[in-house]
Amino acid sequence: MERDRGGDTTGPVEHGGADVCVVGAGPVGLTLAIGLRRLGLGVRIVDAAPETKREARALVLWARAREALHSLGVGAALDAHGVELSAVTVHARGRRLGELTTGWAHSAFARPLNIEQHVIERLLAAELAGLGTRVEWNTELTDVKVHDDRAEFTLRHGDGRVESGGAAWIVGCEGTRSTVRDRLGIAFEGRRRTGLQVVQGNAVPTWPLAGEPGRGHIFLAPRRALLVFPLPDGGYRFFCFRDDPDPALGSPPTLDELRDLVAETARMPGLRLAPAPSRWLNRARFSDRVAARLRSGRGLLAGDAAHAWAPVGGHGMNVGVLGAHNLAWKLAAVHRGEAGDALLDTYDAEQRLLALRYIREMRPNFMELPLPPLGHRAFTATVPAALARPGFQRRLDLRLSDLVRHHRDSPLSVRVPTAGRASGARAGDRMPDASVVPAEPRPGAGGPGEAVRLHRLLAYGTWTLVLRADRADAVTLGALRAACAGTVAVRLLPVTPADARAEAALGDPAELRLVRPDGYVGLVAPLGGVEPLRAYVAALATGARAAARP
Ligand SMILES: Cc1cc2nc3c(=O)[nH]c(=O)nc-3n(C[C@H](O)[C@H](O)[C@H](O)COP(=O)(O)OP(=O)(O)OC[C@H]3O[C@@H](n4cnc5c(N)ncnc54)[C@H](O)[C@@H]3O)c2cc1C
């Protein structure tokens, strides 16, 4: 169904309920709903299923998604139910090739957290309920129409009742078969992955390997890559990327099939597998697809509804969560009339690019993709030397952590050069979690003169202008405040770098960094002339009134 371009955008509007209707209570819909609720919006969240998922899906939260969830106030609950992955031993042909270590990034949550997707969903749903919004289970969205000033939709309830609903905005987070995407007429572009099958299950092995907490394993064999990660409640998730000799076979694997696959790939013929507490086994095939647009007026897409790919690298859920973190503050700002409608288009541009880059990057991921015998032999011959190099370990860890992913190509990322050499975090980069001493201590973030991590001084939903404390005289601060007046709310944060790493991250002392509400650098500009700052914040607000709910 296309967008209705008619209608009055200036008069008062009855949305018949919530500010935002979120369709789908998977990890992405729940994250989005929490972000929107934290920013004060009224949210309705519906899901066709009777409860949170009961199957083996994602298992790992990488560093950047952990940071994002912590900034929404839900990280601690997740940490309490997960186990950090500290190292992964790589094996091939019955030999140990070396190990990958994690935690190279400068982040409070540098290591990946192993936690099952269904647990994440349960905890996020509980957090959302604490914010006053309960998931409406057994409620399927069957139709949507977006107008210039509202979205109208049809819901089918579990008892057969059909409801016509409305909201100012609707966001499809209902997975790869998104009804919102379909009704908005948005193509899901890409193709099916052939020759790749994923067999996974939770089990407790009896094998010769020591059960070290936080240690995973990768076993490489011709046409197979087996990843084995510890589960927080005991046992392991066995995750096998393999060739697809029988593409018609759709039934879930048995524990015996998983056992044979593991025993053969790991070269452990005597291996035994017992069921783990969550005894789930599944077989999946995948497509690599990205929606042609993530927005059609007041209808948006997030998570698997927007982009999906084979879980090589284990990032589908993570990139979806980061998208929700990116979208919530933008949607809230536009809805409240604090930012122009164009801000939402930057979500589309940034998130599509992130997904397309991810798909491209994962194609040559030979640590997880099954290789034919010759390719396997050639690749595994290079692995021990690569794993012995700290530089390789660090690069791989940073890439997997998502901390180095950026929005440098976004229209929201602007650098106005200073006279000095470009240094420090660039426009579009995640603001580094540097160790700094704030000029004024913040409640709960260290005492006077005490160094704290910069991220503790940021707040989700708020723009923060970071500058050097020794340049923050009253005249400069007054000029910066005046430049932002009447536009978006900006908090000034004068800080002193506490170490050399922070010095490098903050770059030229003559520069300011305006950090977005989701922790990425929006503007890098000279501290001396405030015109670039004034122009940047004014551009954010342009058209704000027209886009906002009256
Ligand atoms: C086998 C497998 C392994 C994976 N492994 C990993 C991994 O290791 N790491 C990783 O990061 N990702 C992994 N993924 C991907 C990850 O599971 C997804 O990216 C993630 O579930 C996406 O979350 P989502 O909230 O967008 O959608 P989903 O989790 O699919 O949630 C969508 C929700 O929408 C509901 N819904 C659907 N249609 C409607 C409708 N019409 N009306 C109302 N509700 C509706 C559904 O009931 C569901 O609850 C894996 C996926 C699979 C299948």
Side-chain angles (χ1 to χ4, degrees):
M1 196 163 292
E2 339 76 57
R3 225 183 125 199
D4 177 354
R5 297 201 160 264
D8 175 15
T9 57
T10 54
V13 173
E14 281 301 319
H15 296 121
D19 297 324
V20 183
C21 176
V22 176
V23 187
V28 176
L30 289 164
T31 303
L32 178 67
I34 290 169
L36 293 168
R37 288 295 297 134
R38 289 244 182 264
L39 298 174
L41 268 66
V43 178
R44 182 170 187 190
I45 177 166
V46 298
D47 197 297
E51 58 176 349
T52 45
K53 277 189 253 333
R54 299 194 55 76
E55 61 175 346
R57 286 250 204 145
L59 177 68
V60 179
L61 275 174
W62 299 96
R64 184 60 193 143
R66 290 184 73 188
E67 287 186 350
L69 290 162
H70 271 272
S71 80
L72 294 177
V74 293
L78 300 175
D79 291 352
H81 288 80
V83 54
E84 287 194 340
L85 190 68
S86 49
V88 178
T89 311
V90 183
H91 314 249
R93 293 183 289 281
R95 281 196 307 121
R96 180 184 180 282
L97 301 185
E99 70 170 22
L100 285 164
T101 49
T102 65
W104 293 77
H106 197 63
S107 162
F109 315 103
R111 294 191 194 283
L113 185 75
N114 279 11
I115 175 168
E116 292 212 75
Q117 182 169 331
H118 69 101
V119 178
I120 297 175
E121 293 179 11
R122 183 168 52 74
L123 294 169
L124 293 182
E127 183 70 29
L128 185 60
L131 293 170
T133 300
R134 288 192 179 278
V135 177
E136 298 173 49
W137 299 107
N138 287 312
T139 306
E140 180 189 5
L141 177 106
T142 56
D143 202 5
V144 190
K145 191 169 185 181
V146 290
H147 305 273
D148 278 355
D149 58 355
R150 70 191 187 284
E152 288 173 349
F153 48 84
T154 308
L155 301 173
R156 186 164 50 220
H157 292 270
D159 58 7
R161 225 169 8 103
V162 173
E163 176 196 341
S164 296
W169 306 88
I170 190 161
V171 188
C173 305
E174 354 79 299
T176 50
R177 296 190 184 151
S178 166
T179 305
V180 175
R181 190 186 63 231
D182 181 58
R183 295 297 189 274
L184 296 179
I186 300 176
F188 206 24
E189 295 170 343
R191 60 190 159 87
R192 220 183 145 69
R193 275 265 181 144
T194 51
L196 180 69
Q197 188 193 131
V198 180
V199 174
Q200 60 168 343
N202 295 342
V204 182
T206 304
W207 61 4
L209 301 173
E212 218 181 293
R215 178 170 293 272
H217 298 273
I218 296 179
F219 298 91
L220 302 172
R223 301 196 177 89
R224 310 256 192 287
L226 172 69
L227 282 64
V228 186
F229 294 123
L231 293 168
D233 56 355
Y236 289 86
R237 167 71 62 80
F238 291 85
F239 202 97
C240 190
F241 291 95
R242 57 161 304 173
D243 56 350
D244 198 8
D246 181 4
L249 179 64
S251 56
T254 60
L255 194 61
D256 284 345
E257 179 185 338
L258 184 67
R259 192 218 76 88
D260 292 349
L261 203 51
V262 175
E264 191 185 307
T265 310
R267 293 204 184 181
M268 294 177 184
L271 171 113
R272 279 185 290 146
L273 287 187
S278 46
R279 186 189 175 153
W280 294 336
L281 294 156
N282 65 26
R283 185 189 317 277
R285 297 177 181 84
F286 294 88
S287 294
D288 293 339
R289 293 185 192 278
V290 179
R293 289 170 290 142
L294 305 192
R295 177 178 187 208
S296 179
R298 288 186 176 251
L300 294 121
L301 301 173
D304 275 15
H307 40 64
W309 50 80
V312 183
H315 274 72
M317 178 181 69
N318 284 262
V319 174
V321 163
L322 293 180
H325 191 244
N326 185 343
L327 177 57
W329 69 269
K330 290 179 177 171
L331 192 45
V334 173
H335 180 73
R336 291 198 297 234
E338 295 160 4
D341 184 74
L343 183 64
L344 277 176
D345 294 332
T346 68
Y347 161 72
D348 176 306
E350 292 171 1
Q351 190 65 14
R352 283 193 80 251
L353 199 56
L354 198 64
L356 289 166
R357 280 201 184 120
Y358 196 83
I359 291 173
R360 200 172 54 229
E361 256 180 45
M362 282 303 128
R363 286 209 178 109
N365 181 341
F366 302 132
M367 198 66 95
E368 296 185 29
L369 283 171
L371 289 168
L374 270 182
H376 162 74
R377 189 161 279 280
F379 174 66
T380 51
T382 66
V383 171
L387 291 180
R389 287 206 310 270
F392 172 85
Q393 295 255 354
R394 184 171 176 278
R395 270 196 311 279
L396 187 62
D397 185 54
L398 286 182
R399 205 172 68 171
L400 288 171
S401 71
D402 291 332
L403 295 170
V404 288
R405 294 188 192 282
H406 57 77
H407 299 307
R408 287 179 191 163
D409 304 312
S410 168
L412 265 190
S413 305
V414 176
R415 174 168 191 261
V416 179
T418 47
R421 201 168 53 85
S423 60
R426 291 168 57 176
D429 290 356
R430 156 191 170 268
M431 186 68 192
D433 194 10
S435 193
V436 295
V437 179
E440 286 171 24
R442 295 273 152 86
E450 208 176 296
V452 290
R453 283 180 173 277
L454 180 55
H455 284 199
R456 290 186 64 192
L457 304 169
L458 304 177
Y460 184 69
T462 307
W463 290 85
T464 307
L465 199 153
V466 180
L467 70 158
R468 298 296 183 102
D470 57 0
R471 306 286 176 118
D473 55 78
V475 173
T476 303
L477 292 178
L480 294 173
R481 276 198 197 97
C484 302
T487 60
V488 293
V490 177
R491 231 167 27 126
L492 303 189
L493 180 62
V495 294
T496 305
D499 55 27
R501 188 197 285 264
E503 187 83 41
L506 294 183
D508 185 345
E511 285 175 342
L512 61 82
R513 280 178 169 69
L514 181 59
V515 182
R516 297 168 22 160
D518 57 355
Y520 289 85
V521 179
L523 172 73
V524 181
L527 195 51
V530 291
E531 181 50 30
L533 174 65
R534 200 202 55 73
Y536 186 91
V537 290
L540 283 172
T542 302
R545 302 292 156 231
R549 191 165 86 146

